[in-house]
Amino acid sequence: MIQISPDEVRRVTEDILQNQEFAESVDMWGLAWSAFRDFLIRLSAWAVDNPGMARVVMIVLGIVLALLLLHIAYTVVREFGAMTDESAVPASRSRPLQALEGVAANWTDAFQLAKTALEAGDIYRALWITHRVLLSAMDRMELLRFARWKTNRDYLRECKTDHAASKTLADVSDAYERVVYAHHGIHRDQAASLMNRVEAVVQEAKR
């Protein structure tokens, strides 16, 4: 068996590490630029060989670029306009009815949908809409802040106030959870009573 001393192992290792493939570090930026340059060269050569197709590609890319610029300009103008509108009126009045998105355009239409569902015996949908209307009204009153990721418990914890709407929120949330999550039915009269209480909150929010 050949015996190799530690000094010899160290010397051989140093000799290997001093080779060119180990001494030169990889220049990632250089490689990226080289690849990009090669791509441009090949693209230029393709354009020379296919002038018709190159012209079509340039027109398409020009249209895409113009559409992107128009979209950016529209977004900037829209956001600037929204900021101007919000600064002109109180925040509680300019806040959109986000809780009603996908349900109705306003509280009146939403209540009509809820009452129609209740008359049809669909207490599930009637309570779901009523709950959204209440969250929207309380958001307008700045008793809470509506967000789609929040749970009913989040709203109840957030709304720490002695306002009458807080009790309404607790009762509607309890009925909502019993019907939607626990699948326990409630009487139509009870649902109608909750809707009337929510209507009272909405009337206050409109003032």
Side-chain angles (χ1 to χ4, degrees):
M1 183 176 180
I2 301 175
Q3 296 292 332
I4 302 177
S5 66
D7 292 337
E8 292 177 340
V9 172
R10 187 181 304 108
R11 180 179 57 78
V12 172
T13 303
E14 290 176 352
D15 291 341
I16 293 174
L17 292 177
Q18 288 176 358
N19 290 339
Q20 185 174 0
E21 60 267 24
F22 290 98
E24 295 181 353
S25 60
V26 177
D27 184 1
M28 296 303 298
W29 288 108
L31 291 176
W33 169 250
S34 178
F36 180 67
R37 183 182 57 190
D38 292 342
F39 169 76
L40 290 179
I41 293 173
R42 290 195 299 270
L43 182 62
S44 177
W46 175 84
V48 171
D49 294 337
N50 304 273
M53 287 296 297
R55 187 177 300 108
V56 172
V57 171
M58 291 298 295
I59 293 174
V60 171
L61 291 178
I63 294 174
V64 172
L65 178 59
L67 291 175
L68 287 175
L69 292 176
L70 287 174
H71 176 71
I72 293 172
Y74 169 76
T75 302
V76 171
V77 172
R78 184 185 61 183
E79 293 299 324
F80 179 77
M83 292 174 60
T84 303
D85 292 340
E86 290 180 359
S87 63
V89 296
S92 62
R93 295 297 179 184
S94 64
R95 186 178 303 147
L97 303 178
Q98 296 179 357
L100 295 185
E101 289 182 1
V103 180
N106 52 60
W107 291 323
T108 301
D109 292 345
F111 270 126
Q112 186 59 49
L113 291 174
K115 291 177 181 178
T116 300
L118 185 62
E119 292 173 359
D122 191 352
I123 298 179
Y124 170 96
R125 179 165 174 77
L127 278 179
W128 184 82
I129 296 174
T130 301
H131 186 255
R132 281 300 187 92
V133 171
L134 179 58
L135 291 177
S136 174
M138 295 182 70
D139 188 4
R140 174 66 63 85
M141 298 164 69
E142 298 185 344
L143 297 175
L144 52 77
R145 176 73 70 172
F146 174 78
R148 296 187 182 280
W149 57 265
K150 291 181 180 178
T151 65
N152 292 343
R153 298 305 171 190
D154 291 327
Y155 291 121
L156 292 173
R157 285 192 296 267
E158 181 179 350
C159 187
K160 295 179 179 179
T161 175
D162 57 356
H163 197 283
S166 300
K167 173 60 176 171
T168 302
L169 176 62
D171 292 342
V172 172
S173 297
D174 179 66
Y176 176 84
E177 289 180 354
R178 278 191 287 143
V179 172
V180 176
Y181 299 121
H183 303 289
H184 294 160
I186 65 173
H187 294 295
R188 182 180 300 183
D189 292 343
Q190 184 180 357
S193 176
L194 290 173
M195 291 175 62
N196 291 335
R197 291 170 61 185
V198 173
E199 282 190 283
V201 175
V202 168
Q203 292 301 320
E204 183 178 353
K206 289 180 178 179
R207 296 172 189 167

